[in-house]
Amino acid sequence: MSDSPLVLALSSLWLALGSSAISLLAGREPRLLRLAAVPLLGLAGTAALVAGLWTLIAETNASAILPLGLPWLPWHVRLDPLSGVFLVLIGLVTGAVGLYGRDYVRHFEGGRESLITLGGFSGLFLAGMLLVVLADDAFVFMIAWEVMSLSSYFLVAFQHEQAANRRAAFLYLLMAHVGGLAILLGFGVLAAFGGGFDFASMRAAELTPLWAGVAFALAFLGFGMKAGLAPLHAWLPEAHPVAPSHISALMSGVMLKVAVYGFIRVVLDLNGEVHWSWGVTLIAVGGLSALVGVLFALVQTDLKRLLAYSSVENLGIVFIALGLALLFQSTGHPNLAALALVAALYHALNHALFKSLLFLGAGAILHSTHERDLDQMGGLLRRMPWTGSFFLIGCLSISALPPFNGFVSEWLIFQSALQAWNLESGVLRSLVPIASAVLALTGALVAATFVKVYGIAFLGQARSRHVRRARPSPKGMWAGQGVLAALCVLFGVLPTQILGLLDPVAEQLLGTGVPQAGANGWLWLTPISAETASYSAPLTILLLALIAGAAIWWFKRRASWRVRRCDPWDCGFAAPTPRMQYSAASFAQPIRRVFALLFLIDEGQEQGADGVTRYRLRIADRARGWLYLPVARAVDSSARQVARLQSGSVRLYLGWTLVTLLVLLWVIS
């Protein structure tokens, strides 16, 4: 019975591979992608969701050895509470994508893009993420990691006719392999001390503090690069926007969390004792990522690019919470470490839900208007009411407003940070409040960002002809959005139940959980104690309902008074037009001026071919020029030098073979 969740999880893996296999026939029959492959992808997500929930509720651990791999190194798989949480995360988003994608991929059927590529690599992408979560040895983990990275590369390059898409795909592939190399070296350090590549051997290893720090640094570099932490984030806003929108939801909502899973697995499960400096590093980098991500999101006018930068900010918040967990664990406060870890996992789940919802909403807008530029949108709420309503829930959730899910996880992170007075070191006690202040500033900027997004896109008047002609999206697309919107509300209204599911992970990794969080029943969330802080989402909803009811009653009563109706005085101005509305660029202009040193800004006027002078604004990321482009140039230069060896001369090839044999003999001797 204890192996049943693992069997179900492996079944979800085979369903994902089956979706990929069916897509191979889409070249002959394009409808197969929509009618079979995408629904099978959603079914794989449902199976993963059930397996993960089963594991968390039953608190089971199951492992198996598969007859695959090398003769001396078979594949080890394992399902424990940590894997279960991320199976739930993968399953929730993939299930919604299965509903959404069936109608979304329809418009690719008559195009030039390869449906085999889209469907085949989507299935492989999901299979790779599932296998990463289930892997119980470094060999399987790295194979699954490469499958995930390579398949997502082909999805990023899906519409490869555009040069910008090819550049984004190359940059993504380059940084994915640099990160993968760091992860491989980290596993090499653990395997050298453990005497084997399976995770059980690595757990039993006794590393010296120096080598434990090296393993941590390599894991942080590799997984942090995949998670999009600053300053290693510049690939993310290039790659995520150019993929098909349901793939963008999987990449931002799920793939980034798989990197979080890998980091937690290595640092808290395999690497032994933690050091306080690791926590400080995570808090500093997480705070930088949160602030940089939200500032770049605020100044964007491309909707999908804005959402990609917002993912940098949210992953920064997750790593702030993980840094608090490491800090408290290393200083002898396991209960506070458990609270911070659970808050990090809760926010990872929440971000998967509301960011996937927002990307699916952006895809619905793109599907109906063929537009990603906020400055060309407006008035979409009247034309796409379902998408507008669900998108509003996503905006409220990501802005951390009660009673939605984003508020609960960020509130828990603040509650754990406020316990910094328990630390003995004065330096550490002063560091955590600074990180809390950065988190508070980030929250305010996030609210401003999504007020801009929703106001510019859905309210006011349409700014372009194709937006005025927008039509509601098909039912399947808004059904997928509706599922995620409902989950955003559910995860915000029932936090004690969600914490109860996450508690086994803290017990597994830290030896203690947060039983006090639900000590006062399902109605009250008390992360520390009832005397310290408490929150009741159902009572918050009741209070908001009473306030709304009172406001409606007052306005209706006031409307019954005698009111004189006439045209308002407009000071003699002409009737408003779309050009008179705030644009996305003008909304963010004050913040852009304050933080101008952070951006590469090209601002001015230019005259078009029609003789009309237009305002020009281009904003670039300094990290791309400082870090990514030098690495890309170095790789390109090295590849050109290596290509010179392919001269076509047999004598030269025999000479290189002789040199190689001599070097190998010297190494062996």
Side-chain angles (χ1 to χ4, degrees):
M1 184 69 177
S2 62
D3 291 339
S4 299
L6 179 58
V7 173
L8 189 57
L10 292 174
S11 300
S12 70
L13 178 63
W14 286 110
L15 287 170
L17 293 174
S19 172
S20 180
I22 289 176
S23 300
L24 296 177
L25 303 175
R28 296 182 178 179
E29 181 52 61
R31 291 183 301 171
L32 276 177
L33 178 64
R34 172 167 49 90
L35 299 178
V38 174
L40 203 59
L41 209 65
L43 186 60
T46 304
L49 170 63
V50 174
L53 286 174
W54 193 342
T55 301
L56 293 173
I57 294 172
E59 299 185 24
T60 60
N61 286 272
S63 59
I65 299 177
L66 302 182
L68 301 170
L70 301 174
W72 63 91
L73 189 60
W75 285 18
H76 297 77
V77 293
R78 184 169 181 257
L79 182 56
D80 56 19
L82 178 60
S83 302
V85 168
F86 286 88
L87 279 181
V88 169
L89 187 152
I90 294 171
L92 289 174
V93 177
T94 307
V97 166
L99 292 173
Y100 178 94
R102 190 173 181 271
D103 286 322
Y104 183 79
V105 301
R106 184 193 296 266
H107 74 278
F108 291 120
E109 291 180 359
R112 294 184 300 173
E113 295 88 357
S114 170
L115 298 181
I116 295 176
T117 299
L118 179 60
F121 287 109
S122 295
L124 287 176
F125 182 41
L126 177 60
M129 292 189 291
L130 291 170
L131 190 56
V132 166
V133 172
L134 295 173
D136 197 35
D137 65 63
F139 182 59
V140 179
F141 189 99
M142 291 309 302
I143 289 177
W145 189 266
E146 285 300 305
V147 170
M148 178 184 72
S149 298
L150 288 173
S151 56
S152 55
Y153 159 75
F154 285 103
L155 294 171
V156 170
F158 175 60
Q159 294 173 311
H160 55 83
E161 295 85 0
Q162 303 177 32
N165 294 8
R166 295 195 298 271
R167 288 195 299 269
F170 171 73
L171 183 62
Y172 169 64
L173 184 66
L174 172 65
M175 303 318 293
H177 280 82
V178 171
L181 179 61
I183 295 169
L184 183 62
L185 293 175
F187 279 133
V189 172
L190 295 174
F193 281 87
F197 288 99
D198 59 291
F199 287 171
S201 299
M202 295 182 185
R203 288 187 190 94
E206 296 183 1
L207 278 73
T208 64
L210 174 62
W211 283 108
V214 170
F216 165 80
L218 291 168
F220 186 44
L221 175 62
F223 293 117
M225 186 175 292
K226 196 70 167 182
L229 296 180
L232 306 174
H233 67 283
W235 67 267
L236 196 153
E238 300 292 332
H240 287 204
V242 302
S245 294
H246 64 301
I247 301 300
S248 299
L250 286 175
M251 292 181 70
S252 195
V254 179
M255 186 185 73
L256 301 184
K257 312 312 176 307
V258 173
V260 174
Y261 163 82
F263 181 80
I264 295 174
R265 175 67 74 186
V266 171
V267 174
L268 286 175
D269 188 26
L270 305 180
N271 202 19
E273 295 293 328
V274 300
H275 193 267
W276 64 266
S277 61
W278 303 356
V280 172
T281 302
L282 261 63
I283 292 172
V285 175
L288 175 66
S289 301
L291 190 57
V292 168
V294 72
L295 286 172
F296 272 98
L298 183 55
V299 300
Q300 300 302 312
T301 57
D302 184 309
L303 178 56
K304 292 183 70 175
R305 192 178 181 88
L306 181 150
L307 295 177
Y309 269 115
S310 173
S311 292
V312 176
E313 174 256 332
N314 277 277
L315 268 293
I317 293 175
V318 171
F319 273 83
I320 288 175
L322 290 176
L324 290 171
L326 295 181
L327 191 59
F328 287 129
Q329 180 70 4
S330 63
T331 54
H333 300 89
N335 292 328
L336 298 179
L339 174 61
L341 175 61
V342 167
L345 294 173
Y346 204 153
H347 196 71
L349 281 168
N350 289 339
H351 178 252
L353 296 176
F354 57 64
K355 186 52 62 65
S356 299
L357 170 59
L358 292 171
F359 264 114
L360 295 186
I365 295 172
L366 183 61
H367 180 271
S368 296
T369 67
H370 305 285
E371 188 60 68
R372 283 171 29 185
D373 187 356
L374 286 170
D375 285 335
Q376 300 298 317
M377 299 181 191
L380 285 173
L381 184 59
R382 294 191 299 273
R383 297 167 177 83
M384 306 176 68
W386 284 108
T387 296
S389 301
F390 296 143
F391 202 92
L392 178 60
I393 292 176
C395 290
L396 294 173
S397 300
I398 200 172
S399 300
L401 295 177
F404 298 97
N405 58 347
F407 172 80
V408 179
S409 54
E410 291 199 27
W411 183 75
L412 289 172
I413 295 172
F414 274 114
Q415 291 302 315
S416 60
L418 290 174
Q419 302 307 308
W421 60 270
N422 289 282
L423 299 172
E424 296 180 0
S425 170
V427 175
L428 297 180
R429 284 201 305 269
S430 61
L431 171 67
V432 175
I434 294 174
S436 302
V438 171
L439 188 57
L441 174 61
T442 299
L445 293 173
V446 168
T449 300
F450 285 92
V451 165
K452 179 191 85 168
V453 169
Y454 198 81
I456 298 296
F458 288 94
L459 306 181
Q461 301 181 44
R463 295 171 174 83
S464 59
R465 180 182 303 174
H466 41 280
V467 171
R468 283 193 292 271
R469 295 177 176 176
R471 294 291 182 267
S473 53
K475 291 183 179 180
M477 292 174 66
W478 60 254
Q481 298 172 66
V483 169
L484 293 174
L487 289 171
C488 286
V489 176
L490 186 67
F491 275 54
V493 173
L494 301 175
T496 52
Q497 284 75 8
I498 304 301
L499 287 182
L501 292 175
L502 298 177
D503 206 46
V505 181
E507 294 178 355
Q508 171 196 349
L509 299 176
L510 304 176
T512 184
V514 284
Q516 72 279 4
N520 292 317
W522 68 273
L523 193 61
W524 289 98
L525 176 61
T526 53
I528 307 298
S529 65
E531 295 77 15
T532 303
S534 59
Y535 168 68
S536 175
L539 293 182
T540 301
I541 293 177
L542 179 61
L543 179 62
L544 292 174
L546 291 175
I547 293 174
I552 293 172
W553 173 83
W554 187 82
F555 279 113
K556 283 188 174 182
R557 183 170 177 271
R558 188 169 181 268
S560 64
W561 301 344
R562 185 171 180 176
V563 178
R564 178 172 173 265
R565 298 182 181 276
C566 62
D567 293 332
W569 172 242
D570 61 1
C571 303
F573 291 115
T577 67
R579 288 177 59 85
M580 297 179 183
Q581 301 177 111
Y582 257 82
S583 66
S586 61
F587 189 97
Q589 191 254 13
I591 301 296
R592 191 174 68 243
R593 291 282 187 263
V594 172
F595 294 95
L597 292 177
L598 188 64
F599 313 115
L600 284 174
I601 301 176
D602 176 21
E603 186 175 16
Q605 296 179 350
E606 59 185 12
Q607 191 170 13
D610 53 1
V612 177
T613 301
R614 293 180 175 85
Y615 173 68
R616 181 188 72 252
L617 175 65
R618 299 185 183 93
I619 301 174
D621 195 334
R622 291 185 185 274
R624 179 182 174 88
W626 289 347
L627 180 64
Y628 282 72
L629 292 183
V631 173
R633 293 191 191 102
V635 170
D636 185 61
S637 176
S638 301
R640 292 179 186 276
Q641 295 299 322
V642 172
R644 294 174 61 184
L645 300 178
Q646 298 178 338
S647 62
S649 171
V650 176
R651 289 177 294 178
L652 184 60
Y653 294 157
L654 291 174
W656 281 115
T657 304
L658 177 61
V659 171
T660 303
L661 289 174
L662 292 175
V663 170
L664 289 175
L665 289 172
W666 176 75
V667 170
I668 293 172
S669 63

